[in-house]
């Protein structure tokens, strides 16, 4: 099973040293190993930019995607999804000096906000601001979350919008940064949580993957994988 991921999304996926080379690691990769074991197949992980994942799957270069991704109406037109394996609150990463000015999405009106290319955060912020009749934000898209964090540190942007655990991981590991919860209004965020992305009409594969995820959810294993990934990040730091 070839799994596509974008390893700049700690603690879910990131690059760690193993046997002298950089290898994708993190909670999502632990899930990938569990799925491969449950399906009785060998695992191969391909790391690529987030915005190229769906294209790679459509072209057959990868079988499934495990990259902290969740279903949206637009994505559902292209691919199918497993049941959710984890749900995290959305966050904003900011410089500590801006803590009094940016406390939620409401304070992003007129601000420069960094978002990963093809990620859902830009849509969430646009909809949230519009719903409350607030001024629009100015978005800066980049392929890598690492580049977005660097832009934040150098004051080229005012905040980076990230999925929960990812924002927390960066805030805890990068000096001078902190995270706040985005607190998007009800009715804006329609995602069910993080899900495995599967090609259209692979009904048997979806059923097998869902069976394994149900077991993972029942045993509450994923939070433990997040904790393990956090320790690994700490050692890397």
């Amino acid at each position: 099973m070839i799994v596509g991921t974008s390893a700049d999304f700690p603690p879910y996926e990131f690059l760690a040293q193993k046997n002298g080379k950089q290898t994708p690691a993190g909670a999502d990769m632990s899930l990938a190993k569990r799925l491969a074991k449950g399906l009785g197949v060998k695992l191969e992980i391909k790391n690529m930019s987030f915005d190229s994942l769906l294209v790679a799957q459509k072209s057959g270069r990868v079988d499934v995607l495990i990259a902290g991704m969740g279903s949206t109406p637009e994505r559902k037109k292209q691919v199918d999804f497993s049941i959710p394996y984890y749900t995290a609150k959305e966050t904003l990463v900011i410089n500590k000096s801006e803590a009094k000015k940016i406390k939620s999405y409401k304070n992003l009106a007129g601000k420069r906000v960094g978002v990963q290319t093809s990620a859902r955060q830009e849509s969430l912020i646009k909809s949230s601001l519009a719903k409350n009749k607030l001024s629009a934000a100015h978005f800066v898209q980049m392929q890598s979350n690492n580049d977005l964090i660097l832009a934040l540190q150098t004051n080229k942007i005012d905040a980076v919008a990230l999925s929960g655990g990812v924002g927390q991981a960066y805030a805890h590991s990068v000096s001078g940064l902190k995270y706040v919860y985005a607190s998007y209004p009800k009715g804006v965020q329609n995602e069910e949580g993080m899900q495995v992305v599967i090609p259209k009409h692979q009904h048997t594969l979806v059923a097998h993957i869902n069976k394994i995820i149900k077991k993972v959810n029942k045993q509450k294993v994923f939070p433990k994988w997040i904790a393990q990934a956090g320790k690994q990040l700490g050692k890397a730091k």
Side-chain angles (χ1 to χ4, degrees), residues 184-201:
Y184 299 123
K186 289 182 179 180
V188 169
Q189 189 172 350
N190 297 318
E191 263 190 328
E192 302 173 68
M194 297 179 185
Q195 297 158 276
V196 178
V197 186
I198 305 162
K200 277 285 187 187
H201 312 305

Side-chain angles (χ1 to χ4, degrees), residues 94 100 132 200:
I94 59 174
K100 290 184 179 180
N132 284 275
K200 277 285 187 187

Side-chain angles (χ1 to χ4, degrees), residues 9-192:
F9 207 56
Y12 307 112
E13 41 263 332
F14 54 92
L15 294 176
Q17 283 282 351
K18 186 176 181 181
N19 300 324
K21 64 183 203 179
Q22 296 273 42
T23 305
D28 274 357
M29 299 302 95
S30 294
L31 176 64
K33 291 173 185 174
R34 178 65 62 89
L35 291 178
K37 184 179 179 181
L39 293 169
V41 297
K42 288 184 178 180
L43 175 65
E44 181 182 344
I45 297 170
K46 286 190 175 181
N47 180 34
M48 57 192 74
S49 63
F50 187 83
D51 62 330
S52 66
L53 287 171
L54 289 171
V55 175
Q57 188 177 53
K58 192 173 182 179
S59 65
R61 286 186 286 143
V62 298
D63 299 311
V64 300
L65 306 178
I66 307 179
M69 194 180 288
S71 61
T72 64
E74 191 58 38
R75 288 172 182 166
K76 281 182 175 179
K77 294 175 185 176
Q78 306 176 62
V79 292
D80 287 332
F81 290 85
S82 72
I83 60 173
Y85 58 84
Y86 190 68
T87 302
K89 289 183 178 180
E90 293 288 323
T91 56
L92 304 172
V93 180
I94 59 174
N95 288 301
K96 286 182 178 178
S97 58
E98 295 294 297
K100 290 184 179 180
K101 296 179 182 178
I102 301 177
K103 297 180 180 180
S104 76
Y105 80 89
K106 292 180 181 179
N107 305 120
L108 297 179
K111 299 288 187 183
R112 301 163 298 172
V113 183
V115 293
Q116 190 176 38
T117 307
S118 297
R120 68 190 183 280
Q121 279 74 23
E122 181 174 344
S123 175
L124 288 174
I125 294 168
K126 281 182 177 178
S127 299
S128 298
L129 292 173
K131 187 171 184 176
N132 284 275
K133 298 180 180 179
L134 296 169
S135 300
H138 306 291
F139 293 99
V140 177
Q141 287 192 7
M142 295 184 184
Q143 287 188 337
S144 166
N145 283 326
N146 294 330
D147 291 340
L148 288 169
I149 293 298
L150 181 59
L152 177 64
Q153 287 180 286
T154 53
N155 297 308
K156 292 177 181 174
I157 54 179
D158 302 303
V160 180
L162 292 166
S163 178
V166 183
Q168 293 170 18
Y170 277 114
H172 289 148
S173 62
V174 180
S175 178
L177 302 184
K178 70 169 291 183
Y179 75 90
V180 297
Y181 290 119
S183 301
Y184 299 123
K186 289 182 179 180
V188 169
Q189 189 172 350
N190 297 318
E191 263 190 328
E192 302 173 68

